[in-house]
Amino acid sequence: MKKIRIGAVNWDASLPPDTYFGFYQINSLSQSKYRGWTPYYAELLDGESITYRRRTPEEYECEMQYALDAGIDYFAYVWYPTEGSLAHEPISFRDCSHKVHELNYARGLYEKSRLKERLNMCAILAAHPFTDNDLARLVEAFSKPYYEKIEARPLLYVYNGYREDVIKKIHQMCRERKIPTPYTVPMVPKFEGQCFALADALSSYGVVNRVNIASHEELIGLAIEQSRGRMAPMLKLIPTFTTGWNPAPRVERPTPWMSKAEGVSSYREATCAPRASCEELLEGAVRFADFIRTEVREHFVGHILTFAWNEFEEGGYICPTYDKDGKIDRTRVDVFSKISAMFRKTLGEDC
C-alpha cells in the first residue's frame, strides 16, 4: 500500500504594518467583505481595518495544531534568502528581493515549536538571489528529523521552474556534508519536452487561472488539466490540489510585486470562482482523487501538494478565518480533515 503524504503551501505575510509585506497584506484584506478571507489571528480594529502583531512560538503552535487537525503532514514553506536579500539593490518598483527575508518569520516560529515532531516541513526554493551561506542554511535544514523526505531524500520544490545552477550547487554542498541530495521537484506550468536533468518529479505552486472560472467544479477541472499537462516521461508527478483561486483583494488593492505599473494589478482579468462550499470542496477532492487513481498511477509518488494553507489574498486557504460575525470559522479545517482521510483511503489502497 502506498503511503499518502499531504503537503500544504505556506506563504505567510501576516506581519505587522511596519513591515513591507505585512503592510500590503493588511491593506489588501482591510475591507469587511473580505473578513471571511482574514486569518483568525488578525486583530479586527473596526468594521473595516485589520492589523497584525508578531506572534510568539506558542501562539504559532495553535496554527500548527489546526493543520494537524486538518490531516496535513507537512508545510511547504516558501524559502527566501536572508543574506542575499539584505544586500540586494532593487531594480524596479516591482522588485521586492531586498525585503523577502521578512517572509521567513513564520518558518522561524515553526522551528521553535515542539509540534514540529508531528508536523513536518520542506522548502519551496524561491526565485530570488541566494548567497552560498543562504544555501548552506537550506542544506543544514535537510538533515533535520522534521524535514520531509521522499525515499530518504529531502524534498525540495523549486518555484518558477528549473534553476539548474542553484540545484547543482546544493548537490555539491550535500555531498560535502554527506547528506542525501534532494528529491527535486520543479514547479512548472506544463511539460513541453524540457530537460530536467536533476529533477525527480514535477509539480505546481497552484492552479494558474488563464480562463474564466465560474465555479469550484470548473476550477478542479482546470487543476486536473494542468496536472495532466505536467506528466513527463521518466519523471514522477506531485499533483496540486486547489482549495480556491480568487485574487480579488490584490486586484482591488494591488501590491508592488504583482503590479504592471503603480496601482495596476498584473493578475489576469478573468472571472474567478466564488469561495467553495464544504460540499464543493469534498466533491472536487473526490474527482481529483479519481484522476490520480485512473490517470497518474505510475507517475504518482504518493504526495499531494495543496494550494494552500494560507494564501488568503489569492483565495486559497485552509487555515481558520473569521466569519461575518467576527468569530473564528474552522469549517475548512474540518472539511479538509475529511478530504485528507479520503485521499489516504482511496489512493493508499488503489495506487
Side-chain angles (χ1 to χ4, degrees), residues 98-116:
H98 59 305
K99 295 292 187 179
V100 293
H101 63 277
E102 297 177 349
L103 297 169
N104 291 320
Y105 183 73
R107 179 170 53 81
L109 295 177
Y110 166 92
E111 290 171 346
K112 295 174 182 176
S113 169
R114 296 164 296 178
L115 288 181
K116 65 180 180 290

Side-chain angles (χ1 to χ4, degrees), residues 329-345:
D329 178 5
R330 57 164 288 159
T331 55
R332 286 207 158 197
V333 168
D334 296 334
V335 72
F336 201 84
S337 69
K338 297 177 181 178
I339 289 171
S340 58
M342 181 274 297
F343 280 153
R344 290 189 176 92
K345 180 179 179 180

Side-chain angles (χ1 to χ4, degrees), residues 4 19 36 41 81 116 141 143 186 205 208 233 256 266 277 331:
I4 304 302
T19 62
Y41 47 78
K116 65 180 180 290
S143 64
Y205 188 86
V208 180
S266 63
S277 67
T331 55

Side-chain angles (χ1 to χ4, degrees), residues 22-35:
F23 171 84
Y24 284 105
Q25 184 170 103
I26 289 169
N27 183 56
S28 294
L29 296 178
S30 281
Q31 296 184 69
S32 58
K33 65 181 178 179
Y34 294 129
R35 201 56 67 241

Side-chain angles (χ1 to χ4, degrees), residues 162 164 194-200:
Y162 183 62
E164 185 167 339
Q194 306 99 308
C195 177
F196 296 108
L198 299 176
D200 298 277

Side-chain angles (χ1 to χ4, degrees), residues 220 241 280-290 339 342-343:
I220 290 295
F241 176 72
E280 288 173 324
L281 285 170
L282 281 166
E283 290 170 0
V286 169
R287 183 180 171 195
F288 197 75
D290 185 63
I339 289 171
M342 181 274 297
F343 280 153

Side-chain angles (χ1 to χ4, degrees), residues 208-220:
V208 180
N209 181 13
R210 302 195 182 282
V211 294
N212 289 329
I213 296 293
S215 67
H216 189 70
E217 180 182 11
E218 292 181 13
L219 185 61
I220 290 295

